[in-house]
Amino acid sequence: MKFTLIIKGNFWKKVYKQLKPWREVVLPGLSIIILIVLLRSTGLLQSQEWLVFDQLLRMRPNEAIDRRVVIVGIDEEDINYVGSYPIPDKDIAKMLSILHTYKPRVIGLDLFKDKDSNSDRADFALALRENPNIIGVEVALNQKRTFNVKPPPELPPERVGFADVIVDPDGKLRRNLLAAKTHTGKLKYSLPLRLAQFYLREQGIVFHHGSHSYDPIGFGSSRLVRFLPNSGGYVGTDANGFQILLNFRSDPEPFRILSLRDVLTKKFDPNWISDRVVIVGMTASSIKDKFTTSAVKRTLYTRDLGIENSADQFQWIYGVEIHAHTTSEIISNVLDGRPLLKVWSKFWEYLWILAWGLFGIILGLILQSPIKTLLSLGLASIGLVAICYILLIVGWWIPLVPTFLSLASAGLTTSFFDRDLRTLLEQRSLTMKRCFETIHNGPLQTLAVILRSLGEEDIETGKLRSQLEQLNRELRSIPDYLSQEMLSRHDSLYLEGNEILDLQTPIAELLYHIYDSTLRRNFQGFETIQSFIPPNFEPLEDCYLNADQKRGLYLFLQEALCNVGKHSQGATRLDVICMRSAREYCLQIIDNGSGMISKSNYQSGGRGTDQAQDLARKLRGKFRRFPHSPQGTVCELTWCAARTWRQRFLYPGNWKFFSARTDVT
């Protein structure tokens, strides 16, 4: 049992160790997601969600006109036509009588007619009594009674609907109140609900509602979707009564429009009125019966201004239009299955936000390039908008703003921290690599010479002391070298004796300098070579290499020359050959000494061989070490040359040789 616990403990330690770097990268992204969730839950993103919601509603494809609903709008020209405002009761009575002759299914009168003392009232009262399908309007939900407006006294309560509307804190209309209790406790219904109730009753569809205003409202088997305090982008909103989200019709001309003049002069198609819902209301800009919205393409107000399709975020919409949209929404849902606007529960909404945030974190981890991360996050954001748009078309309001913020912020934050972590690890790895290179190319080379000297019987004490002192200097110079390396931003090369070489210097010049300084080192293999012919590295002048590749090439030459000095015995000649063709560069270091490397093991080696092979991979080339005939070793590095037009012209395929030879005098 104890052994099992130890195994489990070790397992979780290993898991923790493996996840620790990921935790440092993932935690900032998760923190951003949590912060966005908190911002949304406190309502700080509410206004942004409303604006995006309105924009998506306005971007929906155009719907067919709803022929069931007709608006009779009394505009400025109608006021001038009858000669006074308010419109006289006799003209309203005449209009109602004309409409009645064409048998509309129900008429909604969105005009306040609570005064019955004028001389024209008799005709108007008669029209109300003779037409049982007329629904009047009132204002009934204000706590202060003087702000309320009573309905026409000639109408019974079941033929009256209230015109009260609910405006969001930004001043725009997005929802409508269908049922509510007054401050005296009396249950009231809105004008659109009354109109839908009368219209659907003719088709045998029964209206259902409980005794409380917030009870479910239904028609037949259909149920309206009640607005709740935290529906969609709303947070802690007053949801008293029975409210629904307004699913505006998306066509620029959603309903047929008539004017009072059209009705009084009978200039309209009778089929427009027969068996329809007719809503009469004010559409005059001088009358204060309008609200603001940004969820529709066009309103009667913008139409009167001559604007075909308004892109403005702020549009006036008349009260009669709001009643028409709400009535159409209810009837179309019951008869056609047109979706009401619905929302997910908060659990699924926040799970949705979290899932997209985690997706952003995954993108930030997988894609190491900032450009690729930005591109991927951009594509993912477009996909997110498309999903939310499509779901809204079918009736689902899915959170977009917090989800987008979660995706983009978490992805960018993770990418930023991941890049920093990777950069730190790369810097550490590079520093260790430079440290190994420094130790290998300096102290270890000197130590190899000392060890070989110890095998000689007649080694001089002074010579051994000199070599040990050199080793001591090289070891002590390593900390200074590493300090300079960290500050150099990798654009310098440090040689023995704290000599600094600028990697921006032309390649040929630096290679010669390294060649010259290396041959001056106190290596036994160089002692038998007494004459030096300066090498010519001109073939590499057109070779483009970055700083890291240059560093590798310089260290390759230094290592190859050091190997001659350490391992070659009795060498009298040392050749450094540069070759260039249209396709390749080649650098060879050839000696004629008897080395310590056997012919069967030329491609194996230590740290120097690893460095050369790594350089060959970076240059997309090849490294070889093979015996030279009749004696000696060839160390060769070849790599691809850029195929510029100049190289194709000057070097169509033949090699061009440049060599340096050192020989005995």
Side-chain angles (χ1 to χ4, degrees):
M1 182 68 177
K2 184 176 181 181
F3 178 71
T4 304
L5 290 175
I6 292 174
I7 291 178
K8 289 183 178 179
N10 292 334
F11 171 77
W12 288 113
K13 285 181 181 178
K14 289 180 180 179
V15 171
Y16 177 81
K17 186 177 180 181
Q18 292 293 327
L19 292 179
K20 187 175 181 181
W22 291 87
R23 182 188 63 184
E24 295 176 359
V25 173
V26 172
L27 277 181
L30 288 175
S31 301
I32 291 293
I33 297 173
I34 294 172
L35 177 61
I36 291 171
V37 169
L38 290 175
L39 289 175
R40 185 178 193 257
S41 63
T42 55
L44 294 178
L45 298 178
Q46 195 170 227
S47 298
Q48 291 75 15
E49 291 199 70
W50 291 344
L51 292 176
V52 172
F53 174 61
D54 291 344
Q55 184 64 27
L56 290 179
L57 283 175
R58 189 165 54 186
M59 289 171 57
R60 291 175 301 169
N62 291 344
E63 294 180 84
I65 187 172
D66 188 355
R67 302 180 187 277
R68 299 188 187 98
V69 179
V70 179
I71 295 176
V72 177
I74 303 175
D75 55 21
E76 297 289 351
E77 292 186 21
D78 288 331
I79 296 175
N80 295 330
Y81 179 78
V82 299
S84 64
Y85 180 81
I87 304 298
D89 287 350
K90 64 177 181 178
D91 294 307
I92 299 297
K94 182 179 179 182
M95 175 195 65
L96 293 174
S97 298
I98 294 173
L99 291 174
H100 182 67
T101 60
Y102 296 104
K103 301 185 182 331
R105 191 173 294 189
V106 63
I107 299 175
L109 190 62
D110 186 25
L111 299 172
F112 296 112
K113 292 293 180 179
D114 56 324
K115 303 292 190 296
D116 59 355
S117 57
N118 60 74
S119 57
D120 299 331
R121 189 70 181 188
D123 293 338
F124 177 71
L126 180 63
L128 294 181
R129 285 192 292 267
E130 290 183 348
N131 301 325
N133 61 344
I134 295 177
I135 309 296
V137 72
E138 65 176 336
V139 175
L141 303 181
N142 289 304
Q143 187 171 2
K144 194 171 183 179
R145 292 184 179 181
T146 54
F147 290 169
N148 293 325
V149 179
K150 293 181 179 180
E154 295 85 359
L155 294 176
E158 62 272 13
R159 288 174 55 192
V160 175
F162 61 76
D164 303 68
V165 296
I166 299 176
V167 178
D168 286 331
D170 63 350
K172 295 179 181 178
L173 199 69
R174 298 181 181 89
R175 49 203 167 104
N176 207 340
L177 184 62
L178 300 184
K181 283 190 175 182
T182 65
H183 293 282
T184 60
K186 189 175 182 179
L187 182 62
K188 297 275 188 177
Y189 294 113
S190 69
L191 176 62
L193 187 63
R194 286 293 192 191
L195 293 173
Q197 181 183 358
F198 269 69
Y199 184 89
L200 295 171
R201 185 175 62 186
E202 294 296 320
Q203 297 186 213
I205 299 175
V206 181
F207 171 73
H208 301 286
H209 188 228
S211 59
H212 299 286
S213 60
Y214 51 80
D215 285 340
I217 293 178
F219 290 90
S221 60
S222 299
R223 294 290 180 272
L224 302 183
V225 180
R226 183 179 175 227
F227 173 85
L228 298 174
N230 295 308
S231 291
Y234 288 87
V235 178
T237 305
D238 183 4
N240 288 329
F242 194 99
Q243 305 175 31
I244 61 170
L245 287 168
L246 271 172
N247 190 7
F248 292 97
R249 297 193 73 86
S250 59
D251 194 271
E253 295 184 4
F255 312 107
R256 286 168 170 164
I257 309 296
L258 296 174
S259 66
L260 177 62
R261 302 184 311 283
D262 293 332
V263 177
L264 295 179
T265 58
K266 300 182 181 181
K267 293 181 179 179
F268 60 88
D269 186 347
N271 292 324
W272 285 22
I273 304 299
S274 177
D275 207 34
R276 315 294 182 187
V277 176
V278 179
I279 308 177
V280 182
M282 298 302 301
T283 58
S285 59
S286 61
I287 306 304
K288 295 181 180 180
D289 185 25
K290 52 184 180 293
F291 306 87
T292 59
T293 181
S294 57
V296 294
K297 295 182 176 73
R298 188 182 180 193
T299 65
L300 291 177
Y301 186 86
T302 54
R303 187 198 68 169
D304 293 341
L305 294 177
I307 301 174
E308 290 298 325
N309 195 345
S310 176
D312 193 0
Q313 293 287 338
F314 183 91
Q315 294 187 74
W316 290 108
I317 184 171
Y318 295 114
V320 66
E321 290 180 89
I322 297 170
H323 299 320
H325 277 284
T326 307
T327 304
S328 173
E329 180 178 3
I330 298 171
I331 296 174
S332 298
N333 172 255
V334 175
L335 298 181
D336 305 331
R338 182 177 182 266
L340 299 168
L341 290 178
K342 303 177 287 294
V343 298
W344 286 344
S345 67
K346 285 304 168 187
F347 171 79
W348 291 109
E349 285 187 345
Y350 287 121
L351 186 62
W352 169 263
I353 296 170
L354 175 63
W356 280 91
L358 292 176
F359 180 59
I361 290 176
I362 292 172
L363 288 179
L365 289 174
I366 294 176
L367 304 173
Q368 300 180 13
S369 167
I371 295 178
K372 288 182 180 178
T373 302
L374 284 173
L375 251 161
S376 300
L377 289 175
L379 291 175
S381 300
I382 292 173
L384 171 63
V385 173
I387 292 171
C388 292
Y389 173 72
I390 293 171
L391 288 175
L392 187 63
I393 290 176
V394 298
W396 288 97
W397 179 14
I398 307 302
L400 174 57
V401 172
T403 311
F404 169 76
L405 292 176
S406 177
L407 168 68
S409 301
L412 292 175
T413 302
T414 302
S415 177
F416 175 78
F417 277 87
D418 184 54
R419 184 192 62 182
D420 284 355
L421 181 60
R422 292 180 188 274
T423 302
L424 178 61
L425 293 176
E426 288 175 0
Q427 287 177 345
R428 290 177 179 177
S429 176
L430 188 60
T431 302
M432 293 296 293
K433 181 180 177 182
R434 298 287 182 260
C435 182
F436 290 148
E437 289 175 351
T438 305
I439 295 173
H440 175 269
N441 296 339
L444 288 183
Q445 301 283 10
T446 303
L447 182 60
V449 174
I450 294 174
L451 292 175
R452 176 167 294 186
S453 300
L454 291 177
E456 301 175 359
E457 295 181 358
D458 56 346
I459 183 172
E460 297 178 2
T461 305
K463 182 178 180 181
L464 179 60
R465 178 183 293 275
S466 175
Q467 292 173 340
L468 290 173
E469 288 176 351
Q470 181 180 348
L471 177 61
N472 179 59
R473 288 194 301 271
E474 291 174 352
L475 289 172
R476 291 180 180 276
S477 67
I478 290 176
D480 293 335
Y481 163 76
L482 293 177
S483 299
Q484 292 294 330
E485 177 72 20
M486 294 298 293
L487 297 174
S488 68
R489 299 175 62 183
H490 314 305
D491 56 3
S492 300
L493 178 67
Y494 295 85
L495 300 179
E496 181 186 6
N498 289 333
E499 185 178 5
I500 304 175
L501 300 181
D502 186 1
L503 293 179
Q504 301 304 319
T505 306
I507 294 177
E509 182 180 336
L510 273 182
L511 284 173
Y512 177 77
H513 186 89
I514 291 169
Y515 170 86
D516 182 65
S517 63
T518 304
L519 291 185
R520 293 178 184 276
R521 296 180 70 172
N522 187 20
F523 289 155
Q524 183 178 359
F526 296 152
E527 293 178 355
T528 56
I529 303 175
Q530 300 177 359
S531 177
F532 299 92
I533 300 176
N536 187 355
F537 296 103
E538 182 183 341
L540 302 181
E541 287 182 349
D542 293 332
C543 179
Y544 174 77
L545 299 176
N546 60 38
D548 187 57
Q549 292 169 338
K550 287 181 180 179
R551 180 193 297 273
L553 185 62
Y554 303 152
L555 293 177
F556 166 77
L557 177 61
Q558 184 186 59
E559 170 70 13
L561 294 174
C562 286
N563 282 336
V564 175
K566 290 187 302 179
H567 301 299
S568 180
Q569 299 178 7
T572 60
R573 189 177 75 246
L574 176 62
D575 291 336
V576 177
I577 300 176
C578 288
M579 295 182 289
R580 176 182 58 191
S581 73
R583 296 182 179 179
E584 285 185 327
Y585 292 103
C586 181
L587 178 61
Q588 291 182 338
I589 296 88
I590 308 172
D591 72 270
N592 66 344
S594 57
M596 297 179 63
I597 304 176
S598 65
K599 292 185 179 180
S600 62
N601 198 29
Y602 269 92
Q603 286 307 108
S604 64
R607 180 66 183 173
T609 302
D610 294 339
Q611 291 177 6
Q613 291 174 343
D614 181 58
L615 174 62
R617 283 191 295 269
K618 291 179 180 178
L619 296 176
R620 294 180 299 171
K622 185 177 180 181
F623 165 70
R624 293 194 305 158
R625 187 168 56 238
F626 54 91
H628 180 58
S629 178
Q631 180 177 292
T633 303
V634 178
C635 189
E636 179 186 84
L637 178 68
T638 59
W639 67 96
C640 296
R643 295 283 289 167
T644 63
W645 68 269
R646 182 173 178 270
Q647 289 172 322
R648 291 191 183 97
F649 177 76
L650 294 177
Y651 317 114
N654 298 324
W655 286 96
K656 188 171 183 180
F657 292 84
F658 295 83
S659 65
R661 178 179 176 181
T662 60
D663 209 338
V664 181
T665 56

